[in-house]
Amino acid sequence: TSRPAHQAGMMVTPYLVDDLLIDSGFAHARAQMMSFLAGRPLRAVACTHHHEDHAGNAGVLAERHGCPVYLHHPEVQWDEGVRGLVLYRSLFWGAPAPYCPEAMPERLDTARRTLLAVPAPGHSASHVVFFDPAAGHAFVGDLFMNSGASAVLWYENPYESIRSLRRVAALEPALLLSGHGLVLEQPAPSLRRKA
């Protein structure tokens, strides 16, 4: 993480699932991401949503690895404050590298798994959750970072967030992996309480 983000407790967590990268981290952590992925095969980068902390390196990594970047509703890529970052977002994470995302497929196959892209708008219009039905793993991005209220940005839609929390809870995941370091076993009751 970057020093300001780390000091504020805003760790960002990309996940490498076989040859699929879920989220790409942020610009200030580009060297670490490039080093970690050097020599590893990468089939695709799949973004839970297009905010600078989750998609900041998607373009650079896709170019280096010759792979696509997937984003749900790519037409909103530069909306939601990403085009002109406010100061704290710029300091914490930095501006994302440009890229041309492809529309998110409904399912993503890795070398050993199939992940379903479950629409989860609210925090972002482009937000999805990646769910592995075989293992019960749900990669939730920013859908659930804690049990408290979370609609703090002007473009967030808390009513959509409530529907998304319920939609993911209905999947009865065994494990929740958030985009900011939280790992939670049997998260459905927590998702329902938050909704």
Side-chain angles (χ1 to χ4, degrees):
T1 74
S2 71
R3 184 177 303 269
H6 183 72
Q7 289 172 338
M10 295 299 289
M11 173 175 67
V12 178
T13 313
Y15 295 94
L16 184 62
V17 180
D18 297 330
D19 50 4
L20 173 71
L21 182 65
I22 297 175
D23 289 341
S24 68
F26 51 93
H28 294 331
R30 185 163 294 146
Q32 294 96 317
M33 285 301 296
M34 299 298 269
S35 175
F36 173 73
L37 291 167
R40 296 177 191 257
L42 202 58
R43 179 184 305 218
V45 177
C47 298
T48 57
H49 60 298
H50 179 75
H51 287 169
E52 68 282 356
D53 50 334
H54 296 268
N57 298 311
V60 175
L61 291 169
E63 184 176 329
R64 174 180 272 192
H65 291 268
C67 67
V69 178
Y70 296 121
L71 181 68
H72 186 57
H73 289 303
E75 69 277 6
V76 302
Q77 177 183 10
W78 295 105
D79 296 345
E80 303 177 339
V82 181
R83 188 180 318 276
L85 294 178
V86 294
L87 183 60
Y88 84 90
R89 290 170 73 172
S90 182
L91 286 174
F92 282 5
W93 300 295
Y99 66 98
C100 295
E102 296 181 23
M104 182 71 67
E106 290 182 11
R107 56 182 273 168
L108 295 165
D109 293 315
T110 74
R112 297 176 298 170
R113 300 182 188 206
T114 295
L115 300 178
L116 306 178
V118 180
H123 172 68
S124 167
S126 63
H127 207 295
V128 297
V129 165
F130 297 105
F131 182 61
D132 176 348
H137 296 167
F139 301 89
V140 301
D142 284 355
L143 176 68
F144 188 97
M145 295 185 288
N146 59 54
S147 58
S150 61
V152 297
L153 301 169
W154 63 267
Y155 52 79
E156 290 186 84
N157 184 328
Y159 302 103
E160 286 288 347
S161 291
I162 290 167
R163 286 189 282 273
S164 294
L165 287 161
R166 289 179 176 152
R167 183 179 305 117
V168 175
L171 299 171
E172 295 293 338
L175 191 68
L176 175 150
L177 300 113
S178 87
H180 291 280
L182 175 69
V183 176
L184 191 60
E185 293 183 6
Q186 303 304 320
S190 297
L191 292 163
R192 290 188 182 102
R193 274 194 302 273
K194 182 160 182 151

